Amino acid sequence: TTTSATAVAHAEAFIHPALLSHTHPKNVAVFSDTPLLLLKEILKYKSVERITLIDVDLEALDAALKYMPDLNDCSAIRTETASCLDSAQVEIIKGGLDTWLENLDAEHEEDYDYDMYDILFMDVASASQKEQYLSELYHKDHFDYLIDAESMIVVNVGSMPSIHGDDVTDQDSRTDFFKMISTDSS
């Protein structure tokens, strides 16, 4: 479950290495349908000024807030608000990835001045869900105005096959996912 020790350990291991490695992370984006544990870990860093949550499953988020309120409890790490989601740094993009990318494309065409992201966290539960997380609009060119040379991209795509030979994920879907984020779609 999302509140298990394993889930907390996953969030810590996924978030902290990049945030500790970056010289001064200010702008962070999280691609995840269930980002609450990830958000809680990011909010521990005082240098982070903006956290953009993209492709959040709003129904799952509402259920988590109702039935697992501890996931949104940041009272031990933040003084401004006890709710992680109510932090001034947090923006939830409604409308999903396509809407976000269309808005970024429009801003980019108008030479809108915005800060690039220091770290992009992509937490994809299953490689077979790649279409949910990376749309047809997405391609390598978006990186030109999302990140710069000092930015980091951290990707988690499901589970790897075990050393015992049982395939716990579809390796072809996993490979396709990484091709999708690393090559130009044109």
Side-chain angles (χ1 to χ4, degrees):
T1 67
T2 306
T3 58
S4 71
T6 303
V8 172
H10 163 74
E12 291 172 343
F14 186 60
I15 296 298
H16 293 294
L19 284 166
L20 290 169
S21 298
H22 198 282
T23 55
H24 191 71
K26 292 185 343 180
N27 299 313
V28 175
V30 178
F31 297 80
S32 176
D33 57 350
T34 54
L36 284 174
L37 284 175
L38 305 176
L39 174 61
K40 188 179 277 194
E41 295 305 317
I42 295 167
L43 285 168
K44 292 177 179 178
Y45 292 83
K46 294 183 186 292
S47 67
V48 176
E49 298 172 1
R50 179 176 66 152
I51 305 165
T52 308
L53 303 178
I54 302 147
D55 240 13
V56 176
D57 181 335
L58 296 176
E59 289 180 21
L61 181 64
D62 288 341
L65 294 173
K66 182 176 181 178
Y67 298 108
M68 297 179 281
D70 289 351
L71 293 177
N72 191 39
D73 181 7
C74 280
S75 59
I77 58 173
R78 306 300 278 183
T79 55
E80 73 199 50
T81 178
S83 165
C84 300
L85 289 171
D86 289 338
S87 176
Q89 297 108 298
V90 178
E91 176 186 11
I92 298 176
I93 302 298
K94 297 196 168 119
L97 181 62
D98 287 338
T99 300
W100 182 67
L101 288 174
E102 287 171 356
N103 290 338
L104 286 177
D105 285 343
E107 291 171 359
H108 181 68
E109 287 176 12
E110 295 174 14
D111 291 328
Y112 180 79
D113 186 28
Y114 57 89
D115 292 328
M116 293 188 174
Y117 288 95
D118 299 308
I119 305 174
L120 298 178
F121 291 101
M122 302 178 79
D123 188 31
V124 181
S126 167
S128 63
Q129 294 175 311
K130 64 181 178 272
E131 287 81 13
Q132 177 182 348
Y133 296 95
L134 296 176
S135 72
E136 291 179 13
L137 295 174
Y138 173 89
H139 51 82
K140 192 176 176 181
D141 290 345
H142 283 108
F143 285 135
D144 290 343
Y145 55 93
L146 290 177
I147 62 174
D148 61 22
E150 294 187 22
S151 298
M152 298 177 185
I153 302 172
V154 183
V155 181
N156 173 52
V157 184
S159 303
M160 278 298 292
S162 82
I163 60 171
H164 304 292
D166 17 332
D167 193 9
V168 293
T169 190
D170 177 4
Q171 189 62 32
D172 290 337
S173 292
R174 186 180 176 81
T175 301
D176 289 347
F177 180 88
F178 281 108
K179 284 181 185 175
M180 185 182 247
I181 67 170
S182 63
T183 60
D184 193 81
S185 66
S186 55

